Amino acid sequence: MLGCQDGGRRVRSWLTLISGLLECVCFAGAVFGWATLVFVLKTEGYFSSVCVNTTINGTATEDCRQQDEQFSLVFTIASFMNNFLTLPNGFLFDRFGTTVARLLGISVYTAGMLLIAFSTPATSILLFPALSFISVGGILFLMTNIQVANLFGAHRSTIITLYNGAFDSSSAVFLIVKLLFEDGVSMRASFLFLASCSVFHLLRTFVLMPRTHIPYPLPENYSYGVSCGVTQDYTIAKTDEKNIQTSKSEEEMPVKETSAQGQNTDTTERSFKSCLFSWSFLWHLLWLSVMQLRHYLFIGTLNPMLNHLAAGDPVLVGRYTNAFAFTQLCGILCAPWNGLIMDRHKGKQREPGESEREADLKAAILSLALTALQCVLFSVCAATPVLPLQYLTFILQVLNRSFLYGGNAAFISVAFPSAHFGKLYGTVMALSAVFSVLQYPCFALIKGPLAGDPLYVNIGLTALSLLAFTSPLYVYLQCRRQAAHRAAS
């Protein structure tokens, strides 16, 4: 029976991991394929009522700048909701556990898909709540799947970044919708199919996911779900309840941490408030916010930017739109490299007195700095008004975005107590969402005073991206201070 349980745990862990990757890569981040879906929506005539006839140099033409603004506003609101509502979702996840959070995510995600399925050009306004629902449901899928990495302790950061890479790759879902649309499959049929996949999400929730949380470090003989024909829900509840009580008691009193060299070091479990107002968290918030703004503006303005560079040629625009969507599939291939960078110290002997958390922070420095460098390079390419160069821009964008979100989740998991992961992850995403709202005034500036030329806005955002280097610099100095303190003591 014991062998059955051990074998069942291993199989279930791998099934949970693989099915979670499938869920993230096929559904969770579909909202970021918006640039591809816009191509379909324009063909269908969504928001076409705001287009006006005008004459330029004696030639009658149709001015659809307001249509582009409406599509940009839909994405701006959805991306804001994606991040901002991660804060209450994080508290919900920490307080009520996996099942409640996933059921909420499934409900809103399915509602969003159905709203698009039954929308028409006459009811284009439905795109606003629909895309926001898809966005919020998708981030709940990701948040509840990240904890699966706790089952694979030695590769925890790698798996966290792998999930975030799968989340990025799912933006190619709307590419499939576009290709099917071009082959004669209606947009309604595609979105009805996506809505029906909620059956898969429900099966994962009740069969392959815990009711509460997967703790870290993982308790001995930890079990959840269904094992060898026996439901383990009672075991889950008791294990997690004990883990939560232990975490709460540790917040109030010092605990002993044993290093790899056998030395005991006194540490105090930090409160949520102390984590929230730490310089480490604030600089990390800046790191995420400036790079996320750059990505959101790029995705939200991709279609009008390509129209500008291709001089309105629909064939060229369609070709580059497909190229962008195909590169998004590579997110799941790019993200694990960031996790490997952060996990590279695992199994190596640490310095005398160095805790595992300090080793994790040292490993995170390279990840944070490399992500910031990628963003600057991506921004420089996006700011260069050369159409063929955008192929390189697409590659750098998906690489940087994979590193950005995977590195964000991995850094929070190693820099702060796991008891506060949901709250801190939600807080950093919510606050960065407020900053990302700047994308809409930037878009209005491009379409208005700059007459469709994004060059100056892109230059400004490239300069702003340099601020992302402050976070790795601070973590580097923090690690040096800790090393000096260990040497002195």
Side-chain angles (χ1 to χ4, degrees):
M1 183 65 179
L2 182 61
C4 172
Q5 289 178 345
D6 291 339
R9 276 195 292 268
R10 285 194 296 270
V11 171
R12 188 170 55 255
S13 296
W14 281 101
L15 282 176
T16 304
L17 171 64
I18 295 169
S19 62
L21 287 173
L22 182 63
E23 182 175 71
C24 285
V25 81
C26 293
F27 305 99
V31 65
F32 294 105
W34 176 245
T36 309
L37 187 61
V38 165
F39 191 89
V40 177
L41 295 170
K42 279 188 172 182
T43 305
E44 288 281 85
Y46 282 73
F47 294 120
S48 59
S49 59
V50 299
C51 294
V52 295
N53 293 322
T54 185
T55 303
I56 300 177
N57 297 326
T59 303
T61 185
E62 192 175 37
D63 184 358
C64 288
R65 284 181 295 178
Q66 290 188 19
Q67 183 189 35
D68 289 334
E69 288 181 10
Q70 288 297 309
F71 284 127
S72 177
L73 184 58
V74 169
F75 180 74
T76 300
I77 294 173
S79 57
F80 172 80
M81 299 295 283
N82 175 77
N83 287 1
F84 189 76
L85 289 185
T86 306
L87 175 58
N89 287 340
F91 278 88
L92 176 79
F93 176 53
D94 283 348
R95 175 65 181 86
F96 296 104
T98 303
T99 300
V100 173
R102 284 185 61 83
L103 289 177
L104 175 62
I106 294 168
S107 300
V108 295
Y109 189 89
T110 306
M113 290 296 180
L114 290 174
L115 281 175
I116 294 183
F118 292 106
S119 67
T120 64
T123 57
S124 300
I125 196 72
L126 290 178
L127 292 178
F128 285 95
L131 204 69
S132 295
F133 286 169
I134 293 171
S135 177
V136 174
I139 201 67
L140 276 168
F141 290 156
L142 175 63
M143 185 185 296
T144 54
N145 276 308
I146 283 175
Q147 63 178 326
V148 175
N150 296 343
L151 298 172
F152 304 86
H155 307 287
R156 187 169 175 238
S157 295
T158 302
I159 292 174
I160 289 174
T161 54
L162 184 63
Y163 270 118
N164 279 270
F167 179 83
D168 292 338
S169 294
S170 65
S171 57
V173 169
F174 287 163
L175 169 64
I176 298 174
V177 173
K178 175 180 178 290
L179 295 176
L180 290 174
F181 178 79
E182 291 173 343
D183 283 341
V185 178
S186 70
M187 189 176 71
R188 173 170 295 182
S190 295
F191 278 93
L192 284 175
F193 173 78
L194 290 171
S196 69
C197 291
S198 298
V199 175
F200 169 72
H201 305 313
L202 288 170
L203 286 174
R204 283 201 73 242
T205 300
F206 292 111
V207 178
L208 290 175
M209 298 295 286
R211 286 193 305 167
T212 52
H213 304 91
I214 299 175
Y216 182 81
L218 204 64
E220 188 177 357
N221 296 325
Y222 174 75
S223 186
Y224 66 95
V226 179
S227 179
C228 297
V230 180
T231 300
Q232 302 293 319
D233 288 348
Y234 182 77
T235 305
I236 303 168
K238 290 298 180 184
T239 303
D240 285 354
E241 180 182 351
K242 182 179 178 181
N243 186 68
I244 292 170
Q245 289 174 349
T246 303
S247 297
K248 287 182 178 178
S249 64
E250 287 174 346
E251 289 181 13
E252 306 297 331
M253 58 188 299
V255 295
K256 290 285 185 178
E257 180 180 297
T258 304
S259 70
Q261 286 75 21
Q263 297 174 334
N264 290 332
T265 58
D266 287 329
T267 63
T268 302
E269 190 73 28
R270 301 168 65 184
S271 67
F272 171 66
K273 184 178 179 181
S274 68
C275 295
L276 184 63
F277 292 102
S278 66
W279 281 110
S280 180
F281 181 82
L282 295 176
W283 288 126
H284 182 70
L285 172 63
L286 179 66
W287 176 87
L288 175 65
S289 297
V290 296
M291 288 191 281
Q292 181 173 258
L293 174 63
R294 187 69 194 90
H295 283 275
Y296 279 3
L297 187 67
F298 179 77
I299 294 171
T301 61
L302 179 63
N303 190 266
M305 182 195 77
L306 292 177
N307 272 295
H308 176 76
L309 295 179
D313 186 342
V315 177
L316 269 179
V317 172
R319 182 188 306 164
Y320 277 85
T321 301
N322 287 347
F324 170 75
F326 276 118
T327 57
Q328 302 307 297
L329 287 168
C330 300
I332 194 171
L333 302 177
C334 302
W337 292 102
N338 196 14
L340 291 172
I341 289 172
M342 298 188 72
D343 281 337
R344 69 187 187 279
H345 69 286
K346 302 285 188 182
K348 296 181 181 179
Q349 187 173 7
R350 297 194 293 269
E351 296 178 9
E354 183 182 50
S355 67
E356 184 175 357
R357 177 181 172 276
E358 291 176 56
D360 285 337
L361 281 177
K362 284 173 61 177
I365 296 171
L366 178 60
S367 168
L368 295 172
L370 185 59
T371 305
L373 178 62
Q374 290 170 351
C375 185
V376 173
L377 294 175
F378 149 63
S379 192
V380 168
C381 289
T384 306
V386 178
L387 188 59
L389 185 63
Q390 300 316 305
Y391 287 122
L392 177 59
T393 304
F394 298 158
I395 295 171
L396 290 172
Q397 188 268 342
V398 71
L399 177 66
N400 182 233
R401 190 157 158 264
S402 299
F403 269 60
L404 176 63
Y405 290 108
N408 171 50
F411 178 78
I412 291 175
S413 72
V414 302
F416 304 103
S418 59
H420 305 312
F421 174 79
K423 295 184 286 291
L424 289 171
Y425 183 77
T427 301
V428 76
M429 295 297 282
L431 294 177
S432 66
V434 177
F435 193 80
S436 70
V437 173
L438 291 174
Q439 65 181 297
Y440 188 70
C442 287
F443 181 80
L445 180 63
I446 293 170
K447 300 301 290 185
L450 297 180
D453 187 356
L455 178 62
Y456 294 108
V457 170
N458 284 332
I459 291 174
L461 289 173
T462 302
L464 187 66
S465 300
L466 294 172
L467 292 175
F469 285 100
T470 54
S471 180
L473 178 61
Y474 177 81
V475 176
Y476 170 74
L477 295 175
Q478 181 184 14
C479 290
R480 288 195 60 179
R481 286 195 299 269
Q482 291 174 341
H485 179 72
R486 283 200 312 272
S489 60

